[in-house]
Amino acid sequence: AIEIIESGIFEPGIMMNLNSFSDKVDKDDINTNIGNLIFGAETSGGLAIVLPEAKVNRFLEKYKKIAAVIGRITEENPGRVRIKK
């Protein structure tokens, strides 16, 4: 995916989502191309499952080969997403 986006090929949803939501996302100092991929239709919906923290370990035990924790919901900065390295 990185090679494709580096060559200048963007899935149309990336630009639409960037224009619609980038003001709500803090990307720290991550690579611009990786940051742009986050807004693609393939990564912004359907692939993320939100669970109460108390149920994460049970879920990971069942789906350990296909699931990983990628973030945490906090009370800080409501309505914003922060992407860290």
Side-chain angles (χ1 to χ4, degrees):
I2 294 295
E3 290 175 10
I4 292 170
I5 206 166
E6 285 177 347
S7 73
I9 299 170
F10 277 73
E11 179 262 315
I14 290 175
M15 294 312 295
M16 181 181 72
N17 288 332
L18 268 169
N19 291 331
S20 298
F21 302 108
S22 64
D23 63 330
K24 294 175 178 28
V25 177
D26 301 319
K27 294 189 277 184
D28 286 354
D29 61 344
I30 65 170
N31 176 289
T32 300
N33 291 320
I34 292 172
N36 288 340
L37 281 176
I38 291 165
F39 291 95
E42 293 81 9
T43 54
S44 64
L47 298 179
I49 298 171
V50 180
L51 298 170
E53 198 157 358
K55 295 185 179 186
V56 170
N57 286 337
R58 184 173 171 198
F59 184 87
L60 290 175
E61 286 173 13
K62 185 171 183 176
Y63 298 103
K64 60 187 164 195
K65 294 183 180 180
I66 58 172
V69 175
I70 61 167
R72 174 173 274 123
I73 295 173
T74 66
E75 293 180 11
E76 302 165 355
N77 304 314
R80 298 195 63 74
V81 173
R82 181 173 177 212
I83 301 164
K84 303 188 303 184
K85 281 185 173 181

